[in-house]
Amino acid sequence: MPSKPAGTLYRGREGMWSWVAHRITGVGIFFFLLVHVLDTALVRVSPHAYNEVIGTYKNPVVGLLEVGLVAAILFHAFNGVRLILVDFWAKGPRYQRQLMIGVLVLWVVLFVPFVIRHLSHVFGG
């Protein structure tokens, strides 16, 4: 039975999934910032139009999108610190799995309270 060549298949461990999630969150944050800059620039063109656009953001769908935005920002930030440690700390690659667990723990510790508070404002008034 032929064996698979060593080192040619990525097995989907935490390094790969953090790479994928980091790119996805980065793209999402980029598009948010693009929209944010455009709608904020609208205030110089027409304050009335700006107020109308901002008024459309006050609904539960946008409130849920804000939850996704905060999730993306928190993960992207903590994973970025993890990447710095893996790249610039001599022992970083050896502790990549533990660092990823640390990212996820910090993410949950900060994200869950935010979600509870934010959704109480979005749906509770």
Side-chain angles (χ1 to χ4, degrees), residues 18-61:
S18 69
W19 182 89
V20 169
H22 200 74
R23 270 51 181 189
I24 291 170
T25 57
V27 169
I29 293 165
F30 170 79
F31 283 114
F32 163 76
L33 289 173
L34 178 66
V35 170
H36 179 64
V37 167
L38 292 174
D39 69 15
T40 302
L42 190 58
V43 77
R44 302 275 294 168
V45 176
S46 169
H48 177 70
Y50 171 79
N51 288 334
E52 286 183 14
V53 169
I54 295 303
T56 64
Y57 294 161
K58 296 178 182 173
N59 66 63
V61 173

Side-chain angles (χ1 to χ4, degrees), residues 94-115:
R94 185 179 315 145
Y95 294 107
Q96 181 166 251
R97 183 177 179 90
Q98 293 88 342
L99 290 169
M100 189 64 207
I101 292 169
V103 165
L104 294 175
V105 167
L106 280 172
W107 184 83
V108 168
V109 165
L110 292 175
F111 184 63
V112 170
F114 164 77
V115 170

